[in-house]
Amino acid sequence: MDIKRSYYEDIELFKSNTILVWSILFLVFLGILPWLVKAYHLLGMSIYILNLITINALVAIGLNILVGYTGQISMGHAGFFAIGAFTTVIFIVNWSFPLYIALPIAGFISSAFGFILGLPALRLKGPYLAIATLGFGMSITTIIKHMEFFGGRMGLQAPKLYLFGTPMKDIHYYYVIMIIAVLMVIGALKLIKTRVGRAFIAIRDSDIAAEAMGVNLTYYKTLSFAVSAFYTGIAGGLYALILGFINPEGFTMIMSIAFLAMVVVGGLGSIMGSIAGAALLTYLDIKLQVVQDIPAIGPALVAFSQKYMSMAGISNIAVIVYGLIMILIVLFEPLGIFGFWIRTKRYWKTWPF
Amino acid sequence: MLGQLIVSGLAVGACYSLLALAMVIIYKTSDVLNFAQGEMAMISTYVAFTLMESHHVPFQWAVILTFLFAILLGASFEFVFLRQAKEPTVLGLIIITLGFEMILMGFAGWKWGPDQRSLDFPVSNIETYNLFGLVMSKINFWTIVISLVLMFILFLFFRYTKVGVAMRATQQNQLAARVMGIRTKWILSFTWAISSMVGAVAGMLIAALGVLDPTMMMDPLLKSFASAVLGGMTSLPGTAVGGAMLGIIENLFGGYVSLAFKSVVAFAVIVLMLCIKPSGLLAKHYVKKV
Amino acid sequence: MLKKAFVSMALLMMVTFLMTTPGLAQKVRGVTDTEVLIGQTGPQTGPAALWGAVARGTGLYFKGINDEGGIHGRKVKYFLRDDGYQPAKTRAIATEFVEQMGIFGVVGCVGVGPGMAVRDYYTENKVLMVSFGCSGVTNWINPFNRYIFATYPLYVDEARGLTRYLFEQMKLTKVAVFYQNDDYGKQGLEGVEHYEKEKGLKLVASVSAEVTERDLSSHALKLKSSGAEAVVMWAMPTHAALLLAECAKIGYKPQWATSSTLSDSPVMMQITKGLWTGMILSYPIEPPDSNNPLMVKYRAWHQKYEPNERWGTFYYSGCVYAEPFVEGLKRAGRNLTPETFIKAMETLKDWRGGIGGPFTFTSTDHQGAKYVRYAQVQPDSTVKILTDWVRITK
């Protein structure tokens, strides 16, 4: 079953009926998830957090195409995220475009910037590229801040959208975002299996060898940046909508780092891993903040803080735990959550051997 | 005003180049881009602060103890985290240092709280030396001197001592170096220790120039990255050149073109620089052989 | 087989739908017979963690109020959450507050950026926002929103008033502005510009710095070359310290004046190594060593509940932001709903029952704080109040 006899078998999305059924079940599950969350608040979730996770997953997928599949580094994806967010809001508010046009436009403008950033990336490797992209991310927000057109330092109020006359709330956004996300995930899965995706992977493994085999480095490297920026731009637009307000201060270097961490924690070169990484880190980022209230450990931590540390900074434990998770996953599971998944799968397949 | 801008630029450039120096030492030996550099320096500075403030240790002893702490911090980070990485990739190593950065920042916030502090430094940041109508605060002057001296010592160390040569060998080919009888692991720990100590010097000087708080190294760290890239990531004298150039360009840009975009100009400069000469000003261009 | 799966899924969905429409009892969210639930977000981590002290101060105040027996037999149940000054997180906490904890209102949350991201959400859910933002940015109160009660003087007015004070009392006409490049700093600039325009003066220089910047030497040179006699500073403590040092270095000594956000003089004095002396401040609350009976009481609470906290201006200003809220609860009486609370708050006229300035709320204006006092920092880092309460809003 695992042997692929032709190319079409490889690019097929549902390789067997089992996978098809499970995929449909999963889609149905996604459909009813908001109701479950609303009724039971599983793990303290809310629909808004689901939306945020989905958006972050889109960014992580985009970034993974660049980092995991093409082997380039970007520490400036918050910049693309900001471009997507601001473009969407401006197109809807200033020029009253509908969302379904504004969002793709935001994606394409963002990918145009990705293309531009891709040009110097042709000559840069490793740390040099990391620093150049870092600079890009920082510069974008500074430039946005100084242009009154983008709301300047005050930020922009995102428009209130209406769906059949009723103002859209978290739950409506959930379905909009989820439909977009499902389409984009399928797009990413397909892209990786095509000529383009294979060219990306060839560049990652060895760009010189890839060039020798006839992969046009200039074209594919910039394309990878553009695709990655497209995903991030779309996600940025959605982010502006669910948040209702964006200001340039919201798109920091920390955000770029968080995106990168999602990709690495999820697993480099795995779309599903990116989704898992985004879900895990977003959730932790939001929920890790009330260490005092954790049963058993909480009071001990409070006592420890009072004695040796400061009570004022007790929330910083969350930051420490977050950093520790990043390190431990890279150390002990270099393929991230995806690697963990593969090992579990293999373990069950070969059980009891 | 031109002269004063250049002098101020040199002064701030010296801070950048000190941190860049710490970064280059590590990059030279182990190809790791250390994002935790700033926070390691910040923690060391806090240690110095606590020693002087709470335990009333005299300045000289506090500095020596801080150096010991910094050496321990750097070596143990290498030993506890980096060494454990199986088949590390460039990105994986960056993520580890980023994670360590968060741990340190969280720890500083937890231990010392978010309040701004001031580090008691024997050299004043307000009293000045005057020359031809140009002023430079005493601490700025000493920062420049210290950064040049440190750079020179390290340059000699890398070039002429046995350990320095071993460090270079480790960078070029770890396996071959080990075959030659170099204890590469020990060398790596040693590198991190030295780098952390240089970082602590930078941290204390930067804190003495302004204030001490858990986020104080964010901006200097990015600027020092920029100066390291400008000078060439593998060149020690390059850090001094890169730092000074960056400081002066920034200040001239702020003084004559636009203060608003001053914080962006560093990145524009490095992107331009990298497009023209990807390896930086003073480093040799190194092409990977297949 | 596929068909079967679909049918069973459809059934499952129906069941879930049915389960998820529980009949909600008609009562006020966040108010029970014995408790009223209050939420607060404030950055305890990250670059803005300094302002997190405000949030902890509010916690102290509620502890004290509860120990005195609460309000109309209800104790305040208070949740403090750390949003790290990230709007996306603030919004996540807001949904938690409303959908899971069911709070009555939020008090004294820090930050306008985070605030703007949750304003609409809270308004939709009828959550009261008292002293939200802890900040005087005009965007926050415009357009008028019934659920928002602002208790911080507007930065624009504050800067205008400060410039007026410099002009009228100290006869300084050549004024420059140093501001940090965000909403807060820009409002300071606007205020100074307003006043200069009114008097037909010209602003000598306006110099801005990015929040993250750590080298202000060229900024200082620019200020010096403008020849301003006074500089109004709308910045964060770090920038203030860096700028004062740079200016002292190049021998530039104008009269400095700054906003209430830099009112923590002991800290400022320490990090500027004494250069803070002589600073003119607009001061919307009592100084830390004040003998006001309420201040004495709060200091006692501080000693009793949180002796490890530093008694700084930010910390106890957390009390100032909660005072009008508690007064509103008192006036609303036993029958507490958002409507009765708003009505009760709107009866506050020049209310001086706290350690802040007089608060007034009307049915068309919920910007309560309109008064400040002016103070000057003394060499021993105490502040000397120079004036009585001055109305700064036109």
Side-chain angles (χ1 to χ4, degrees):
Chain A
M1 194 184 94
D2 280 354
I3 302 166
K4 288 168 185 119
R5 292 178 198 81
S6 74
Y7 177 62
Y8 294 101
E9 244 173 78
D10 188 34
I11 60 168
E12 209 172 354
L13 207 52
F14 308 112
K15 296 196 175 61
S16 67
N17 276 338
T18 335
I19 292 182
L20 178 67
V21 170
W22 276 111
S23 309
I24 289 171
L25 282 182
F26 184 67
L27 285 183
V28 172
F29 170 70
L30 286 182
I32 60 167
L33 189 57
W35 303 95
L36 294 176
V37 163
K38 212 170 181 177
Y40 304 109
H41 297 300
L42 303 161
L43 301 164
M45 288 288 260
S46 62
I47 299 171
Y48 170 78
I49 299 182
L50 286 180
N51 289 346
L52 198 62
I53 287 177
T54 320
I55 286 168
N56 281 341
L58 279 181
V59 182
I61 291 169
L63 190 56
N64 208 345
I65 291 175
L66 183 70
V67 178
Y69 287 103
T70 322
Q72 309 294 307
I73 293 178
S74 167
M75 298 193 66
H77 260 53
F80 296 123
F81 203 57
I83 292 171
F86 276 89
T87 321
T88 310
V89 172
I90 283 170
F91 268 82
I92 295 179
V93 174
N94 292 15
W95 297 310
S96 45
F97 278 70
L99 175 65
Y100 55 87
I101 299 180
L103 206 54
I105 292 178
F108 282 116
I109 289 181
S110 170
S111 73
F113 275 93
F115 172 75
I116 294 169
L117 184 65
L119 288 177
L122 290 172
R123 301 191 59 176
L124 305 180
K125 280 222 170 73
Y128 292 91
L129 185 58
I131 290 165
T133 47
L134 191 74
F136 165 79
M138 307 269 298
S139 314
I140 284 290
T141 49
T142 312
I143 291 166
I144 288 176
K145 247 188 238 175
H146 284 282
M147 295 175 78
E148 285 308 315
F149 179 65
F150 296 113
R153 298 147 272 222
M154 294 301 193
L156 285 177
Q157 197 83 35
K160 270 224 160 316
L161 295 182
Y162 291 88
L163 192 75
F164 308 122
T166 53
M168 287 178 69
K169 289 192 176 164
D170 282 350
I171 183 140
H172 306 116
Y173 281 123
Y174 173 83
Y175 287 107
V176 172
I177 292 171
M178 204 41 93
I179 290 168
I180 295 172
V182 168
L183 290 178
M184 290 182 82
V185 169
I186 294 175
L189 286 171
K190 284 277 187 194
L191 178 81
I192 296 310
K193 295 289 168 82
T194 57
R195 182 189 170 81
V196 178
R198 282 167 207 274
F200 287 170
I201 295 171
I203 293 174
R204 172 191 70 189
D205 292 343
S206 162
D207 52 353
I208 296 172
E211 200 173 15
M213 285 192 305
V215 174
N216 185 340
L217 280 192
T218 319
Y219 177 72
Y220 283 107
K221 269 192 187 174
T222 48
L223 182 68
S224 175
F225 266 95
V227 171
S228 177
F230 180 80
Y231 272 77
T232 314
I234 297 264
L238 294 171
Y239 177 78
L241 292 177
I242 63 159
L243 208 53
F245 171 80
I246 42 170
N247 64 347
E249 268 103 52
F251 302 90
T252 53
M253 186 184 86
I254 310 278
M255 196 180 220
S256 298
I257 293 174
F259 290 148
L260 205 56
M262 284 170 200
V263 172
V264 175
V265 166
L268 286 171
S270 154
I271 302 285
M272 291 304 159
S274 295
I275 298 173
L280 178 72
L281 289 193
T282 312
Y283 181 77
L284 284 180
D285 189 30
I286 291 170
K287 288 291 165 189
L288 260 181
Q289 24 156 342
V290 268
V291 277
Q292 302 93 302
D293 293 357
I294 304 172
I297 316 170
L301 281 175
V302 170
F304 181 76
S305 301
Q306 270 165 349
K307 191 144 189 214
Y308 300 105
M309 309 301 235
S310 72
M311 268 310 279
I314 193 168
S315 303
N316 283 291
I317 296 174
V319 184
I320 299 179
V321 173
Y322 196 86
L324 211 56
I325 289 174
M326 270 162 71
I327 295 185
L328 292 181
I329 288 199
V330 175
L331 286 187
F332 297 110
E333 196 54 78
L335 280 177
I337 299 173
F338 179 65
F340 184 71
W341 162 247
I342 289 183
R343 275 208 310 203
T344 336
K345 210 163 79 173
R346 198 173 296 150
Y347 177 79
W348 282 110
K349 264 189 181 168
T350 54
W351 195 82
F353 301 107
Chain B
M1 192 159 135
L2 175 69
Q4 186 59 48
L5 280 172
I6 291 178
V7 168
S8 302
L10 271 178
V12 68
C15 291
Y16 299 159
S17 65
L18 257 181
L19 257 185
L21 195 61
M23 200 162 314
V24 164
I25 299 169
I26 288 178
Y27 188 73
K28 232 172 130 74
T29 344
S30 53
D31 278 342
V32 179
L33 195 58
N34 184 11
F35 277 90
Q37 193 81 64
E39 267 58 35
M40 284 162 77
M42 181 264 292
I43 287 274
S44 305
T45 314
Y46 262 114
V47 168
F49 168 80
T50 314
L51 285 174
M52 286 193 278
E53 193 80 10
S54 314
H55 303 281
H56 307 288
V57 179
F59 178 76
Q60 311 83 303
W61 287 105
V63 167
I64 291 170
L65 288 174
T66 306
F67 283 166
L68 284 178
F69 171 82
I71 287 171
L72 215 66
L73 180 73
S76 54
F77 172 54
E78 200 277 334
F79 184 76
V80 176
F81 292 125
L82 283 177
R83 194 174 289 183
Q84 314 304 326
K86 298 171 259 178
E87 312 153 29
T89 56
V90 176
L91 187 66
L93 291 173
I94 287 183
I95 294 287
I96 293 179
T97 60
L98 283 173
F100 192 54
E101 181 201 352
M102 294 183 93
I103 293 178
L104 290 178
M105 200 187 259
F107 181 82
W110 189 17
K111 172 83 193 162
W112 291 285
D115 285 344
Q116 275 95 358
R117 319 280 178 136
S118 99
L119 185 74
D120 283 327
F121 212 72
V123 187
S124 159
N125 66 336
I126 296 162
E127 289 163 35
T128 54
Y129 295 120
N130 293 11
L131 194 70
F132 308 124
L134 303 174
V135 290
M136 180 178 271
S137 72
K138 289 186 173 165
I139 194 156
N140 282 149
F141 175 77
W142 285 107
T143 312
I144 296 177
V145 171
I146 291 172
S147 75
L148 286 177
V149 167
L150 262 180
M151 189 205 75
F152 191 65
I153 293 174
L154 285 167
F155 180 73
L156 292 181
F157 176 79
F158 264 89
R159 175 83 25 123
Y160 296 112
T161 63
K162 229 174 170 181
V163 181
V165 175
M167 279 173 160
R168 280 193 293 158
T170 312
Q171 185 247 339
Q172 277 167 9
N173 192 332
Q174 266 207 41
L175 190 70
R178 204 150 35 187
V179 172
M180 292 301 171
I182 297 172
R183 291 154 71 191
T184 51
K185 285 186 176 167
W186 189 85
I187 290 286
L188 285 180
S189 289
F190 187 72
T191 317
W192 277 86
I194 292 189
S195 154
S196 172
M197 198 180 92
V198 175
V201 176
M204 279 190 269
L205 287 168
I206 289 173
L209 269 172
V211 298
L212 174 62
D213 68 21
T215 54
M216 71 165 191
M217 295 306 271
M218 272 185 167
D219 187 55
L221 180 75
L222 292 175
K223 297 289 168 59
S224 72
F225 271 132
S227 7
V229 169
L230 203 58
M233 286 292 286
T234 52
S235 158
L236 289 178
T239 58
V241 177
M245 263 183 72
L246 193 69
I248 293 172
I249 291 175
E250 265 194 336
N251 260 6
L252 289 181
F253 187 85
Y256 291 112
V257 187
S258 150
L259 264 180
F261 288 99
K262 185 185 162 199
S263 57
V264 181
V265 76
F267 296 108
V269 168
I270 54 166
V271 169
L272 273 180
M273 179 70 217
L274 289 173
C275 291
I276 300 163
K277 195 168 183 297
S279 52
L281 279 174
L282 293 191
K284 280 204 196 83
H285 191 50
Y286 173 67
V287 182
K288 187 181 145 200
K289 295 196 184 76
V290 188
Chain C
M1 180 217 152
L2 265 181
K3 221 175 187 176
K4 240 183 201 167
F6 273 126
V7 171
S8 50
M9 272 332 290
L11 273 175
L12 193 85
M13 249 172 107
M14 292 261 288
V15 171
T16 349
F17 269 93
L18 288 176
M19 279 186 346
T20 51
T21 42
L24 270 173
Q26 284 300 315
K27 56 172 189 150
V28 184
R29 188 194 50 240
V31 181
T32 65
D33 281 347
T34 52
E35 273 177 344
V36 46
L37 273 64
I38 304 297
Q40 181 171 30
T41 49
Q44 305 294 321
T45 57
L50 192 65
W51 316 119
V54 175
R56 298 195 300 277
T58 310
L60 171 75
Y61 182 72
F62 284 139
K63 258 184 206 163
I65 290 289
N66 281 345
D67 262 23
E68 288 185 345
I71 310 126
H72 294 299
R74 291 194 186 99
K75 299 242 159 148
V76 175
K77 195 170 177 197
Y78 161 80
F79 304 97
L80 169 61
R81 291 288 181 274
D82 167 33
D83 63 358
Y85 215 77
Q86 297 163 20
K89 252 183 177 173
T90 317
R91 178 64 211 279
I93 295 163
T95 54
E96 193 187 337
F97 276 166
V98 172
E99 288 163 23
Q100 290 165 45
M101 295 166 181
I103 53 160
F104 177 70
V106 285
V107 173
C109 309
V110 178
V112 162
M116 295 296 269
V118 292
R119 188 172 64 177
D120 288 351
Y121 178 77
Y122 278 148
T123 310
E124 270 166 30
N125 289 290
K126 300 192 170 148
V127 175
L128 290 151
M129 289 165 268
V130 180
S131 314
F132 198 104
C134 291
S135 136
V137 175
T138 16
N139 278 22
W140 173 246
I141 52 159
N142 291 330
F144 175 72
N145 183 328
R146 288 189 68 215
Y147 293 94
I148 291 177
F149 290 91
T151 58
Y152 201 100
L154 292 179
Y155 290 135
V156 178
D157 294 340
E158 210 186 322
R160 229 183 104 257
L162 204 54
T163 325
R164 185 176 65 193
Y165 183 82
L166 290 174
F167 180 72
E168 286 175 0
Q169 308 292 323
M170 306 186 80
K171 311 288 176 229
L172 298 167
T173 47
K174 290 170 84 180
V175 176
V177 183
F178 173 80
Y179 63 102
Q180 98 180 10
N181 199 357
D182 62 1
D183 45 6
Y184 156 67
K186 204 189 160 202
Q187 299 250 296
L189 172 69
E190 247 175 59
V192 179
E193 276 174 346
H194 271 192
Y195 187 75
E196 300 281 285
K197 210 176 264 173
E198 268 170 39
K199 291 282 158 194
L201 298 167
K202 211 178 155 292
L203 192 62
V204 198
S206 67
V207 175
S208 75
E210 291 304 314
V211 180
T212 50
E213 238 166 306
R214 286 283 170 152
D215 164 35
L216 299 183
S217 46
S218 39
H219 302 74
L221 277 172
K222 205 141 211 177
L223 284 174
K224 188 186 181 188
S225 65
S226 77
E229 299 162 340
V231 179
V232 177
M233 186 160 49
W234 235 250
M236 291 279 185
T238 305
H239 274 171
L242 286 169
L243 188 70
L244 284 183
E246 289 290 344
C247 285
K249 204 165 88 181
I250 54 173
Y252 178 49
K253 289 190 181 68
Q255 173 61 52
W256 295 93
T258 191
S259 83
S260 49
T261 36
L262 293 182
S263 53
D264 206 336
S265 345
V267 168
M268 293 312 298
M269 192 62 100
Q270 198 208 356
I271 63 175
T272 56
K273 302 186 178 82
L275 293 173
W276 202 246
T277 316
M279 177 67 74
I280 298 284
L281 292 165
S282 60
Y283 223 75
I285 51 176
E286 294 285 335
D289 51 356
S290 159
N291 287 325
N292 182 309
L294 277 173
M295 282 295 282
V296 175
K297 184 164 87 174
Y298 296 161
R299 280 201 294 267
W301 283 351
H302 169 241
Q303 283 308 315
K304 190 170 161 197
Y305 302 116
E306 303 284 353
N308 290 329
E309 285 277 358
R310 193 174 58 81
W311 184 249
T313 339
F314 299 147
Y315 184 66
Y316 72 79
S317 64
C319 304
V320 182
Y321 302 132
E323 279 169 346
F325 181 81
V326 168
E327 180 64 19
L329 288 183
K330 279 182 189 154
R331 292 193 183 191
R334 203 45 205 162
N335 174 25
L336 183 62
T337 67
E339 285 307 313
T340 58
F341 181 81
I342 292 173
K343 289 251 159 60
M345 283 297 272
E346 284 168 357
T347 62
L348 260 66
K349 293 270 173 304
D350 284 332
W351 179 72
R352 287 290 321 270
I355 53 172
F359 287 123
T360 305
F361 297 103
T362 66
S363 56
T364 50
D365 181 13
H366 282 184
Q367 168 58 37
K370 296 190 168 74
Y371 293 84
V372 296
R373 291 188 291 189
Y374 293 101
Q376 189 160 31
V377 179
Q378 304 299 308
D380 61 348
S381 79
T382 55
V383 291
K384 188 175 145 208
I385 302 285
L386 300 172
T387 63
D388 200 10
W389 292 98
V390 180
R391 189 179 167 96
I392 50 170
T393 307
K394 270 188 271 184

